[in-house]
Amino acid sequence: MKRIFCIIPSAAACLMFAACSAPKEAAGAALPPDIPFSAEADITYGGEDCKVQIRRLEAGNWEFCVTEPYPAEGLVITVSDGVTKLKMYDMETIADINADAVSMARAVAAAYDSAASGGADTAQDGGKSVSGSSEFGAYSIKLGEDDCPEILDASVGKLSVKFTKFADLERDLSEPEIIE
């Protein structure tokens, strides 16, 4: 039993203190890391604000869990292969049902995935900010000193995302240190 309690805090600490160093670079600019990650985010989209827990499992495969505002708390939004699903309690539906509808989650995923895959075409701020276009329009991403994404802005829906608590999910935790 003692070992289990030592493994869990060690694994959590590894995730919390994972850094985003050594990002890909294009034309002298650092790009957001093209890795699975978890982060908290404050999002503004179409004049509405929310707080979410984001998990990027891979390019095109995202999960957003709304934590605020209270009426939407627990709403899980997934984006997988261009399809956005909303799930709360036992109800599930599909969003983006017509060409003019773009969910906040799909806009975030498209912009980030475009930049991480090398789609950014302009660098500013000494390579710490990149901009480009996704299928929904122009975007820019500012990276912090640790090369983790800090802010993502996009023209679609006047989207603004402020990332915090970025954690690399790619780290291998299969052999955690056992402390006795």
Side-chain angles (χ1 to χ4, degrees), residues 6-19 166-168 171 173:
C6 292
I7 292 171
I8 292 171
S10 297
C14 287
L15 284 175
M16 286 177 56
F17 297 112
F166 191 98
D168 178 348
R171 297 211 181 240
L173 297 176

Side-chain angles (χ1 to χ4, degrees), residues 105-123:
R106 192 162 167 216
V108 171
Y112 189 95
D113 287 345
S114 173
S117 68
D121 54 1
T122 307

Side-chain angles (χ1 to χ4, degrees), residues 58-72:
E58 63 185 349
N61 191 359
W62 292 69
E63 181 179 273
F64 299 75
C65 183
V66 178
T67 58
E68 289 182 27
Y70 178 74

